[in-house]
Amino acid sequence: MAAQPPRPVGERSMGSPREAARAPARSPAWASTQASTPGAALAVQRESPESGLQEHYSNLCMEKSQKINPFILHILQEVDEEIKKGLAAGITLNIAGNNRLVPVERVTGEDFWILSKILKNCLYINGLDVGYNLLCDVGAYYAAKLLQKQLNLIYLNLMFNDIGPEGGELIAKVLHKNRTLKYLRMTGNKIENKGGMFFAAMLQINSSLEKLDLGDCDLGMQSVIAFATVLTRNQAIKAINLNRPILYGEQEESTVHVGRMLKENHCLVALHMCKHDIKNSGIQQLCDALYLNSSLRYLDVSCNKITHDGMVYLADVLKSNTTLEVIDLSFNRIENAGANYLSETLTSHNRSLKALSVVSNNIEGEGLVALSQSMKTNLTFSHIYIWGNKFDEATCVAYSDLIQMGCLKPDNTDVEPFVVDGRVYLAEVSNGLKKHYYWTSTYGESYDHSSNAGFALVPVGQRP
């Protein structure tokens, strides 16, 4: 039995975290037309939206003898201003700890205790981003309680909060009954194989969650296989991220089971298998499944060990597959031969692929030029990312011509041509399939399409 996370001073006991997760949600405090006691009437007045979230937060901190977090106070003040302007529908509360534009005091589990008490009755807030903070398992306990009581929340970002297996268990179990959450990010929380198994079990019951991100969570082979098994029957999940599990052995069992799942699952739209130690036999397993799959649109196999031999299987399946739109091959080793295989298919057969990333694949001039030629004849193929390869003069001229001819829009690639002494060179620009997956831009839009083209082209379960 998992140990109960400590509760902050002043929190009324609700038994174990498991009991808290099973407790029925209560109606909002201001939903009652009248209060039974003067004290209850005062509570209703304090929690009403007219009093303002900032004021409510300050009062609650004083009442519970909890230190006020100035960062939370600042964000709640901004939300109050939006509400006054009449923008109260569908607000995403962004309290991410990696915000570098304003002074940040990272949110602790105790801070989140107070915050959850406020948010449980805020029906106009349907998204919450508390990534890169210090919630730990204490915060996970209150996040589970919030999911139990706040029935309008469709997006929750808990990435990199030092949540462990016990905290993961609490969140997974409360999702057995939750029917509103669409997108959950647990990225970077070390829930390990134990926590992963609880999430896999949850997917056997939950029929509303559409996107689940468990990348960098130290999942084990057992939980990866469990997810593959569950997804053969789950008809709700549209996108899943299983990046960087902790795998041992050279048998590539994960790709065998995921391949079997893809043959039977016809609802999954996006699959992320970065850092799975996939080799050529692994990509063959996935490609064999794609002959039978008619739903997958986004395949991410970046940061693996795929070589040009693996591209034979991918190029062949692309000749008949008409659903794949985005493929991320970044940080593999397909070299010129692999690029040529893909180029031939994209030129003569495939008319469905829209975006391809071959960043840092040890491709030299010939292969890069071949891919550029595909874009001239294939009008569907609109996005390509090539930085980190070996650019010769022919490559630079080829991509400069593509941009000048309008075959390649500047926002749809990660290079930009410039001329020095009459010679064309390529410079890197901050565009890509998922540039802002881990971090937030310090200027401009954090979720603009040019930096996150993969999610823009295949928009599944995005934040509200």
Side-chain angles (χ1 to χ4, degrees):
M1 179 174 178
Q4 176 180 351
R7 286 186 295 274
V9 176
E11 170 67 355
R12 181 173 62 87
S13 174
M14 291 184 63
S16 71
R18 292 179 175 81
E19 291 169 348
R22 291 195 295 267
R26 290 173 294 181
S27 59
W30 58 68
S32 303
T33 56
Q34 63 180 17
S36 58
T37 65
L42 181 61
V44 170
Q45 182 180 9
R46 183 178 67 245
E47 294 189 6
S48 68
E50 287 78 9
S51 65
L53 293 177
Q54 184 186 28
E55 181 182 348
H56 184 192
Y57 174 70
S58 299
N59 292 341
L60 201 54
C61 285
M62 292 178 62
E63 178 184 326
K64 303 296 183 182
S65 301
Q66 176 71 26
K67 177 180 175 293
I68 292 176
N69 185 312
F71 181 45
I72 295 179
L73 200 66
H74 171 74
I75 298 299
L76 293 181
Q77 180 183 7
E78 290 183 345
V79 173
D80 285 339
E81 292 172 357
E82 286 190 33
I83 293 171
K84 289 179 182 178
K85 295 176 183 177
L87 305 175
I91 294 176
T92 295
L93 196 61
N94 187 350
I95 315 182
N98 64 337
N99 189 329
R100 290 172 286 175
L101 299 181
V102 295
V104 170
E105 181 176 322
R106 304 216 174 197
V107 179
T108 64
E110 289 73 20
D111 292 327
F112 194 76
W113 165 49
I114 300 294
L115 187 63
S116 65
K117 284 181 169 294
I118 298 171
L119 297 182
K120 69 181 180 182
N121 296 322
C122 294
L123 303 182
Y124 43 85
I125 291 179
N126 64 1
L128 176 61
D129 184 348
V130 286
Y132 292 97
N133 281 296
L134 305 170
L135 300 190
C136 305
D137 286 345
V138 175
Y141 172 66
Y142 295 114
K145 290 175 65 177
L146 180 63
L147 286 170
Q148 185 183 57
K149 297 176 181 179
Q150 219 283 22
L151 301 181
N152 279 356
L153 205 63
I154 62 175
Y155 168 69
L156 178 59
N157 186 345
L158 297 171
M159 66 187 298
F160 291 99
N161 263 293
D162 201 21
I163 296 172
E166 287 75 21
E169 177 184 354
L170 295 174
I171 294 170
K173 286 192 171 181
V174 82
L175 289 176
H176 286 202
K177 295 184 178 180
N178 183 282
R179 293 293 179 266
T180 54
L181 193 70
K182 301 293 184 185
Y183 181 11
L184 173 64
R185 289 197 73 176
M186 290 290 291
T187 322
N189 292 299
K190 309 308 179 185
I191 63 172
E192 301 175 355
N193 192 68
K194 176 184 175 183
M197 292 301 292
F198 284 111
F199 275 97
M202 175 270 294
L203 291 183
Q204 291 182 298
I205 301 170
N206 184 289
S207 59
S208 57
L209 193 66
E210 294 181 358
K211 187 171 183 178
L212 177 61
D213 191 336
L214 294 174
D216 302 283
C217 286
D218 288 2
L219 301 178
M221 179 65 76
Q222 182 186 17
S223 53
V224 172
I225 293 174
F227 279 111
T229 304
V230 168
L231 288 175
T232 59
R233 296 186 178 277
N234 184 291
Q235 302 296 307
I237 288 288
K238 302 295 188 296
I240 190 163
N241 187 321
L242 300 174
N243 287 350
R244 213 224 64 183
I246 305 299
L247 305 177
Y248 299 98
E250 300 292 327
Q251 302 302 313
E252 298 189 65
E253 285 184 67
S254 63
T255 54
V256 172
H257 289 274
V258 171
R260 290 173 183 168
M261 176 271 292
L262 288 174
K263 291 178 182 179
E264 299 183 38
N265 183 300
H266 298 288
C267 298
L268 192 67
V269 174
L271 173 63
H272 298 266
M273 295 183 68
C274 173
K275 300 179 184 176
H276 266 247
D277 207 19
I278 299 174
K279 304 179 185 67
N280 295 328
S281 59
I283 195 68
Q284 181 182 11
Q285 294 282 348
L286 297 179
C287 290
D288 287 347
L290 291 174
Y291 285 105
L292 302 176
N293 184 281
S294 58
S295 64
L296 195 70
R297 296 167 56 197
Y298 188 160
L299 177 62
D300 178 4
V301 287
S302 58
C303 302
N304 282 294
K305 297 180 179 180
I306 305 168
T307 71
H308 56 85
D309 290 333
M311 291 303 97
V312 175
Y313 309 115
L314 183 58
D316 194 54
V317 75
L318 286 175
K319 292 177 181 178
S320 57
N321 183 289
T322 58
T323 53
L324 269 176
E325 297 178 9
V326 179
I327 298 179
D328 192 347
L329 293 167
S330 304
F331 304 100
N332 282 283
R333 199 171 181 83
I334 71 171
E335 302 178 312
N336 276 356
N340 286 328
Y341 292 138
L342 293 174
S343 173
E344 180 183 353
T345 294
L346 292 172
T347 301
S348 306
H349 300 88
N350 184 281
R351 290 297 181 269
S352 61
L353 193 71
K354 296 178 180 178
L356 174 67
S357 178
V358 290
V359 170
S360 296
N361 263 274
N362 200 34
I363 306 173
E364 300 180 3
E366 176 193 345
L368 295 171
V369 171
L371 288 171
S372 73
Q373 297 304 309
S374 301
M375 303 198 79
K376 292 181 179 180
T377 58
N378 186 342
L379 300 182
T380 308
F381 184 28
S382 57
H383 297 64
I384 188 166
Y385 305 95
I386 62 171
W387 187 257
N389 293 294
K390 300 177 182 179
F391 301 154
D392 59 9
E393 186 173 3
T395 301
C396 297
V397 171
Y399 284 87
S400 176
D401 290 346
L402 273 182
I403 294 172
Q404 290 179 4
M405 293 166 57
C407 298
L408 179 61
K409 294 181 179 180
D411 284 347
N412 295 352
T413 186
D414 58 350
V415 293
E416 181 180 50
F418 65 98
V419 180
V420 175
D421 294 333
R423 179 172 175 176
V424 180
Y425 296 88
L426 296 177
E428 183 184 17
V429 290
S430 189
N431 297 332
L433 294 179
K434 50 178 183 179
K435 276 286 184 179
H436 296 156
Y437 176 72
Y438 287 112
W439 56 280
T440 305
S441 176
T442 54
Y443 62 91
E445 291 290 332
S446 297
Y447 299 93
D448 65 290
H449 291 177
S450 61
S451 297
N452 303 280
F455 302 127
L457 292 169
V458 186
V460 182
Q462 294 304 299
R463 48 176 282 166

